């Protein structure tokens, strides 16, 4: 699957970066990209959610069992308009942690056809292991990010530039916890990628720049919980399967 050679539609380009390289060792059922929820592999479901939520193109970062995951993705999307907007890259260093996948995904997003001014546009970073995060969450975050840019900026915001918009989900005490997806302005995405290491993707940059981050409550749209262990599969429904391989 390849991204079209032409330019993005009018306006600032929006590229989704889906981190899907992990082996899912703690889950113990193979890569989480292949986890089926309601009959659809997570890698396919999340790529569609990013596109339908407002991304012009999506970069899927693969790693563990990359040929197998790509085969599943190709089988579901090739020949469809969505498939033509999805591009895969393989992180050969995926075992080093999510940081290397984040860096590779941002680099790949910058190589996609785009306006010559690469300071424009947005990058939506999503994880493959959040089963109830869908297009509504992506759409809500992008609407917030673009609305904040379109509004009349203050002198301070003009000085620091556009902001990062992060999904927030209430914890058991009702406190809003920052999570994924994340909407980065392109310049901030590159800065965050430069600092990523080990299992820390954008976390180092985000923690260092809290004044540039807006956490948006999307708890009415999803729980945002991720799937790390077999216990996390509880409550996902009878249509959840961990092995979609032939």
């Amino acid at each position: 699957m390849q991204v079209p050679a032409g330019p993005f539609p009018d306006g600032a380009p929006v590229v989704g970066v889906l981190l899907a390289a992990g082996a899912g060792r703690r889950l113990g059922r193979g890569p989480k990209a292949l986890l089926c929820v309601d009959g659809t592999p997570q890698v396919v479901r999340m790529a569609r959610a990013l596109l339908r939520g407002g991304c012009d193109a999506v970069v899927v970062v693969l790693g563990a069992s990359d040929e197998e995951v790509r085969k599943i993705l190709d089988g579901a999307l090739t020949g469809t308009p969505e498939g033509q907007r999805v591009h895969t890259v393989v992180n050969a260093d995926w075992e080093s942690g999510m940081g290397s996948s984040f860096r590779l995904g941002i680099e790949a997003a910058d190589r996609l056809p785009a306006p010559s001014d690469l300071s424009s546009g947005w990058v939506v970073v999503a994880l493959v292991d959040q089963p109830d995060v869908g297009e509504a969450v992506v759409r809500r975050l992008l609407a917030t990010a673009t609305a904040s840019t379109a509004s009349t900026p203050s002198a301070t915001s003009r000085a620091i530039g556009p902001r990062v918009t992060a999904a927030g989900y209430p914890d058991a005490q009702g406190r809003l916890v920052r999570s994924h997806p994340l909407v980065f302005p392109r310049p901030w995405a590159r800065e965050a990628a430069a600092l990523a290491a080990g299992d820390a993707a954008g976390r180092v940059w985000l923690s260092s720049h809290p004044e540039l981050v807006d956490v948006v409550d999307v708890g009415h749209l999803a729980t945002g919980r991720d799937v790390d262990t077999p216990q996390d599969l509880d409550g996902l429904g009878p249509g959840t399967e961990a092995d979609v391989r032939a």
Side-chain angles (χ1 to χ4, degrees):
M1 292 176 289
Q2 298 296 324
V3 175
F8 284 102
D10 292 340
V14 181
V15 179
V17 173
L18 178 59
L19 304 183
R25 290 194 178 101
R26 282 190 291 167
L27 185 62
R29 302 190 184 188
K32 288 184 278 187
L34 297 180
L35 179 71
C36 272
V37 178
D38 294 329
T40 303
Q42 270 296 103
V43 67
V44 175
R45 199 186 66 79
M46 285 304 303
R48 286 174 173 161
L50 287 165
L51 291 172
R52 296 173 185 180
C55 293
D56 299 301
V58 171
V59 172
V60 182
V61 183
L62 305 179
S65 303
D66 61 283
E67 292 184 3
E68 195 167 13
V69 178
R70 186 189 284 109
K71 179 181 177 181
I72 294 295
L73 192 60
D74 283 348
L77 299 183
T78 295
T80 70
E82 291 175 335
Q84 295 178 9
R85 297 158 59 198
V86 174
H87 177 65
T88 57
V89 292
V90 177
N91 178 13
D93 194 31
W94 64 268
E95 291 188 88
S96 67
M98 195 185 302
S100 59
S101 291
F102 181 75
R103 288 196 307 273
L104 182 62
I106 300 304
E107 291 169 2
D110 274 348
R111 291 196 299 268
L112 297 182
S116 58
D117 179 10
L118 286 178
S119 65
S120 67
W122 308 86
V123 179
V124 184
V125 180
L127 307 181
V128 81
D129 64 350
Q130 290 180 300
D132 70 347
V133 171
E135 63 184 275
V137 171
V138 178
R139 189 178 300 112
R140 174 77 173 90
L141 296 174
L142 278 171
T144 300
T146 55
S148 65
T149 301
S151 62
T152 303
S154 65
T156 300
S157 64
R158 281 196 300 270
I160 63 177
R163 303 172 62 77
V164 174
T165 303
Y169 307 94
D171 65 10
Q173 289 72 45
R175 295 170 299 194
L176 203 58
V177 179
R178 189 191 74 223
S179 185
H180 292 78
L182 298 160
V183 182
F184 282 93
R186 276 181 180 264
W188 297 163
R190 294 190 195 96
E191 285 192 11
L195 296 175
D199 281 324
R203 186 169 69 243
V204 176
W205 189 94
L206 293 166
S207 297
S208 301
H209 299 85
E211 76 284 359
L212 296 180
V213 182
D214 294 324
V215 181
V216 177
D217 188 350
V218 292
H220 60 298
L221 299 173
T223 66
R225 70 169 180 166
D226 55 10
V227 176
D228 287 326
T229 68
Q231 291 73 29
D232 294 331
L233 296 172
D234 294 342
L236 291 183
T240 301
E241 303 172 0
D243 192 347
V244 298
R245 291 168 280 195

